[in-house]
Amino acid sequence: MLFILVIISVCSCVCAQKFSRGCGRAPPATPNLGTTSNIAITFDDMPRSYRLHVPATYKATTPSAVIFSFHGWGSSSSFHEQYMGFTKISDDNGVLMVYPEGRSDYQIEENAGWQSWNTVGSTTTLGEECTPSTTGFCYLSCKKRSQGCGRCDWTTCARDTVFTESILNSLEALYCVDKTRIYATGFSNGGIMAYHVGRELNSRFAAVVPGGGTPFVGHNNPPNETKGLISVLDLHGDADNICPANSTTSTDGWNYIPVDDVLKVWGTATGCVSMSTLRHFLTSEDGNKELYCVKLGDCPQGIDIVRCSYKGGHDWPGYSENGGLGARLAWNFMKAHPKVDVEALSPLCCYSGRGNRL
C-alpha cells in the first residue's frame, strides 16, 4: 500500500508540473504550423524580437519541449536558425524552437551587425577577462550606467536573462509547453549565454548545451542547486582558438576558463562527486572518429556533466546542415535529460544513488 501511495504521489507531482497554462487553447495564428515567424515584442521599453518555429505536428493537448538557441556575437536570429540545423529536429520531434535576437546598441541604439548577449562576465568585467593590450566595446546600454564601461566589457548591458524568461512565460501561456523539457543551446557568445541561462534560470531549464563558449576568467560561478538541478553538455572544436577548450587566452586576447574547470564547478554544485574522474559517454554518434565525449564525475540520478570534443575550429559541429551533427548531439542529450527537481531526489520520490552512465 505504501509503495502504491508513493507512485501516485510521484505521478501527481510530475503530471502537475508538466503542463503549461497554454495547454488546451488554440495556438496563435502566427506562425503557421510547420513554419518560422519573427515575433516582435517590446521589452524594457525597447523593441526586441525572437524567431519561433512551430512544428507541423504541434497539438494543443500534447506538451511540447522547448529549445532556446542563442546566436553568436554580431550574428542574428535568422542566420543562426539555419546555422544550427535544428529545424529537422523540431519537425521530427514536435519541439518548439526559439531563436532570440540580441541587442545591437553599439555606439547607436540600433547598429546592425553588433547583436550580442549580456552573459557571464561580459559587462561586469574585473580586468582579468582580457589581456592588457585588448580593449572591449562600449555599448550604449553600458555607457549609460553610473560606472560606464569597463576596459574588457564587450556586449550589450540589456537584461537578457529577464528577456529570455519573459519569452518563456509568453510561450507557456500561448502554447502547450512541457515544463519539464525546457532547454538552451547556442554558439560562441550564444554558447556563453546558454551557460548563463543555465546558471540563472536553472529552476526552469532542464539542460544546456553550450557550443564554442565558456565563462570568462573571474566568473566561474555555479548555478544555485537549491533552485533546481541541471545537466550540461559542452561542445567544443579541438582547434578552436577563438574560445579555446583547454587553455585560457584566445588569439584575439580574451581570457576564458577551460571547459573542464567550468564543468567541475557546475558538477560539484549539482551534487556530483569525483569530478576528476572521466568516463567515455556513449552517444548515437560514437561511430564518428572525429568526435569523442566524456562524462565527468558521478552525479545524482538524471544528471550528467559531459563534454564532447570534435575535429574543427570555432564552428558548431555540422553547421548549416539541417539535422546536422551538433543538432543531433544536442537533442539526443536534451531528450534524455528532463527536469530533475531538488525535491525529486528525496527517498520517497526516486532513487538518488550515483551511477556511471545515466
Side-chain angles (χ1 to χ4, degrees):
M1 179 63 71
L2 176 60
F3 176 76
I4 295 174
L5 289 174
V6 169
I7 295 296
I8 292 173
S9 175
V10 172
C11 181
S12 298
C13 175
V14 172
C15 291
Q17 293 176 349
K18 190 177 182 72
F19 291 82
S20 74
R21 291 186 294 130
C23 292
R25 65 176 294 173
T30 303
N32 292 323
L33 300 190
T35 67
T36 304
S37 290
N38 192 65
I39 310 298
I41 63 173
T42 299
F43 176 78
D44 280 350
D45 297 323
M46 297 294 298
R48 298 293 300 263
S49 67
Y50 62 94
R51 294 179 68 79
L52 175 64
H53 183 84
V54 179
T57 55
Y58 172 81
K59 291 182 175 59
T61 55
T62 303
S64 298
V66 177
I67 302 175
F68 280 74
S69 190
F70 298 94
H71 62 70
W73 186 72
S75 186
S76 67
S77 56
S78 57
F79 174 85
H80 185 71
E81 180 180 10
Q82 62 85 23
Y83 180 79
M84 296 293 279
F86 276 105
T87 301
K88 179 174 172 55
I89 300 295
S90 171
D91 289 337
D92 289 352
N93 297 277
V95 178
L96 294 166
M97 283 300 308
V98 187
Y99 304 95
E101 180 89 1
R103 282 279 285 126
S104 185
D105 59 309
Y106 178 63
Q107 295 184 330
I108 58 176
E109 285 295 345
E110 293 295 333
N111 192 356
W114 292 88
Q115 293 92 327
S116 65
W117 300 108
N118 185 359
T119 58
V120 187
S122 67
T123 60
T124 55
T125 54
L126 309 170
E128 308 171 49
E129 300 84 355
C130 61
T131 60
S133 60
T134 302
T135 55
F137 301 88
C138 186
Y139 281 68
L140 287 186
S141 50
C142 301
K143 188 176 182 180
K144 292 175 182 177
R145 300 179 301 178
S146 59
Q147 71 269 38
C149 294
R151 181 175 63 86
C152 299
D153 288 1
W154 63 287
T155 69
T156 182
C157 280
R159 297 194 307 152
D160 286 327
T161 304
V162 185
F163 172 58
T164 300
E165 190 164 33
S166 71
I167 296 174
L168 178 55
N169 291 340
S170 177
L171 291 176
E172 289 185 355
L174 297 173
Y175 292 91
C176 190
V177 169
D178 185 343
K179 295 169 68 176
T180 68
R181 296 192 299 148
I182 298 170
Y183 307 102
T185 186
F187 189 76
S188 196
N189 182 205
I192 307 174
M193 184 63 183
Y195 269 118
H196 188 76
V197 165
R199 189 185 78 177
E200 298 297 323
L201 299 177
N202 58 316
S203 63
R204 304 183 70 176
F205 282 76
V208 294
V209 183
T214 58
F216 287 98
V217 167
H219 301 275
N220 194 10
N221 302 314
N224 182 346
E225 74 278 8
T226 64
K227 293 182 178 180
L229 305 182
I230 191 162
S231 292
V232 183
L233 167 61
D234 184 285
L235 300 179
H236 247 92
D238 60 4
D240 190 338
N241 56 18
I242 301 299
C243 180
N246 302 313
S247 59
T248 298
T249 304
S250 67
T251 53
D252 52 354
W254 300 92
N255 296 325
Y256 298 92
I257 301 168
V259 172
D260 278 4
D261 292 347
V262 175
L263 296 184
K264 287 175 182 177
V265 167
W266 277 57
T268 300
T270 307
C272 307
V273 297
S274 304
M275 289 305 294
S276 295
T277 301
L278 304 180
R279 298 182 182 88
H280 175 55
F281 186 79
L282 298 174
T283 75
S284 59
E285 310 294 330
D286 269 18
N288 186 338
K289 295 182 179 179
E290 296 187 346
L291 172 76
Y292 190 72
C293 300
V294 295
K295 171 184 172 178
L296 286 74
D298 295 313
C299 298
Q301 185 173 346
I303 297 296
D304 281 309
I305 306 295
V306 180
R307 64 172 295 184
C308 289
S309 178
Y310 52 90
K311 187 175 181 60
H314 192 64
D315 277 305
W316 178 253
Y319 66 91
S320 298
E321 177 188 350
N322 195 9
L325 175 61
R328 295 194 306 271
L329 277 171
W331 171 241
N332 286 331
F333 184 81
M334 290 170 179
K335 71 180 181 181
H337 294 88
K339 189 64 180 166
V340 175
D341 290 328
V342 176
E343 292 80 3
L345 293 179
S346 68
L348 287 178
C349 193
C350 66
Y351 168 66
S352 59
R354 305 179 191 278
N356 292 332
R357 189 171 185 274
L358 303 171

XYZ file of all heavy atoms in Angstrom, residues 83 187 211-212 235-245 310-317 319:
188
model
N 22.059 28.122 -39.379
C 23.416 27.709 -38.986
C 23.390 26.516 -38.038
O 24.195 25.588 -38.155
C 24.123 28.895 -38.324
C 25.541 28.623 -37.855
C 26.600 28.619 -38.756
C 25.831 28.398 -36.501
C 27.898 28.386 -38.335
C 27.128 28.168 -36.078
C 28.156 28.164 -36.990
O 29.454 27.926 -36.571
N 25.813 29.216 -29.702
C 27.214 29.105 -30.116
C 27.955 30.413 -29.885
O 27.424 31.490 -30.093
C 27.317 28.694 -31.588
C 28.727 28.352 -31.972
C 29.292 27.149 -31.580
C 29.499 29.252 -32.674
C 30.607 26.844 -31.888
C 30.815 28.959 -33.000
C 31.370 27.750 -32.601
N 27.881 25.690 -27.042
C 28.860 25.377 -28.066
C 29.847 26.518 -28.241
O 29.454 27.680 -28.350
N 31.138 26.212 -28.237
C 32.171 27.194 -28.543
C 32.176 28.414 -27.651
O 32.535 29.503 -28.103
N 30.042 21.466 -26.094
C 30.567 21.082 -27.404
C 31.664 22.057 -27.808
O 31.439 23.273 -27.836
C 29.451 21.100 -28.452
C 28.261 20.166 -28.223
C 27.229 20.330 -29.337
C 28.714 18.720 -28.144
N 32.839 21.534 -28.125
C 33.971 22.398 -28.458
C 34.839 21.756 -29.543
O 35.170 20.568 -29.459
C 34.841 22.645 -27.218
C 34.811 24.048 -26.738
N 33.921 24.501 -25.778
C 35.546 25.143 -27.078
C 34.129 25.788 -25.540
N 35.106 26.195 -26.327
N 35.225 22.558 -30.531
C 36.177 22.102 -31.533
C 37.566 21.991 -30.943
O 37.978 22.845 -30.147
N 38.314 20.953 -31.333
C 39.642 20.748 -30.738
C 40.673 21.770 -31.209
O 41.741 21.903 -30.606
C 40.130 19.320 -31.003
C 40.250 18.984 -32.487
O 40.037 19.878 -33.342
O 40.557 17.810 -32.808
N 40.353 22.505 -32.276
C 41.267 23.528 -32.776
C 40.679 24.936 -32.626
O 41.120 25.868 -33.307
C 41.615 23.251 -34.239
N 39.723 25.095 -31.742
C 39.097 26.404 -31.518
C 40.098 27.319 -30.816
O 40.508 27.062 -29.680
C 37.847 26.238 -30.654
C 37.000 27.508 -30.584
O 37.531 28.606 -30.837
O 35.799 27.383 -30.266
N 40.499 28.402 -31.485
C 41.401 29.365 -30.842
C 40.710 30.699 -30.553
O 41.338 31.637 -30.065
C 42.661 29.598 -31.687
C 42.343 30.060 -33.102
O 41.241 30.525 -33.388
N 43.305 29.925 -34.006
N 39.405 30.772 -30.857
C 38.622 31.965 -30.524
C 38.097 31.858 -29.093
O 38.126 32.824 -28.318
C 37.453 32.153 -31.505
C 37.980 32.286 -32.945
C 36.613 33.365 -31.124
C 38.888 33.482 -33.156
N 37.617 30.687 -28.739
C 37.266 30.378 -27.350
C 37.813 28.980 -27.064
O 37.091 27.985 -27.175
C 35.754 30.424 -27.126
S 35.268 30.056 -25.426
N 39.098 28.887 -26.728
C 39.744 27.575 -26.610
C 39.151 26.729 -25.494
O 38.742 27.240 -24.452
C 41.207 27.931 -26.331
C 41.172 29.324 -25.797
C 40.009 29.996 -26.437
N 39.114 25.413 -25.745
C 38.519 24.498 -24.767
C 39.466 24.174 -23.624
O 39.028 24.012 -22.476
C 38.098 23.207 -25.464
N 35.314 17.721 -30.837
C 35.207 17.295 -32.225
C 36.294 17.968 -33.046
O 36.843 19.016 -32.661
C 33.834 17.619 -32.809
C 33.391 19.053 -32.644
C 33.679 20.023 -33.607
C 32.680 19.449 -31.511
C 33.268 21.337 -33.451
C 32.273 20.763 -31.345
C 32.570 21.692 -32.309
O 32.176 23.000 -32.137
N 36.636 17.354 -34.153
C 37.684 17.890 -35.016
C 37.158 19.142 -35.708
O 36.198 19.071 -36.485
C 38.107 16.851 -36.042
C 39.316 17.259 -36.874
C 39.751 16.135 -37.775
C 40.977 16.534 -38.606
N 42.134 16.886 -37.747
N 37.776 20.289 -35.411
C 37.320 21.532 -36.020
C 37.724 22.734 -35.200
O 38.305 22.612 -34.118
N 37.414 23.904 -35.715
C 37.764 25.146 -35.050
C 36.567 25.775 -34.378
O 35.770 25.094 -33.726
N 36.419 27.096 -34.559
C 35.341 27.834 -33.903
C 34.097 27.785 -34.787
O 33.686 28.786 -35.385
C 35.782 29.270 -33.635
C 34.863 30.019 -32.719
N 34.660 29.669 -31.406
C 34.079 31.116 -32.934
C 33.811 30.507 -30.837
N 33.431 31.396 -31.755
N 33.515 26.596 -34.872
C 32.281 26.383 -35.631
C 31.451 25.325 -34.923
O 31.991 24.360 -34.361
C 32.568 25.920 -37.066
C 32.883 27.083 -37.995
O 32.053 28.009 -38.083
O 33.953 27.054 -38.640
N 30.136 25.484 -34.985
C 29.204 24.477 -34.487
C 29.383 23.203 -35.312
O 29.491 23.261 -36.535
C 27.789 25.024 -34.629
C 26.664 24.138 -34.223
C 25.779 23.503 -35.062
C 26.242 23.819 -32.897
N 24.843 22.809 -34.329
C 25.108 22.974 -32.992
C 26.726 24.145 -31.622
C 24.440 22.467 -31.888
C 26.064 23.647 -30.511
C 24.938 22.815 -30.643
N 29.425 22.022 -34.687
C 29.603 20.794 -35.459
C 28.432 20.536 -36.409
O 27.278 20.583 -36.014
C 29.682 19.706 -34.377
C 29.038 20.302 -33.161
C 29.305 21.773 -33.238
N 27.584 22.523 -38.876
C 26.876 23.786 -39.058
C 26.269 23.898 -40.459
O 26.777 23.364 -41.435
C 27.801 24.973 -38.790
C 28.939 25.151 -39.764
C 28.803 25.945 -40.903
C 30.168 24.525 -39.543
C 29.842 26.118 -41.796
C 31.221 24.689 -40.428
C 31.057 25.482 -41.549
O 32.087 25.638 -42.440
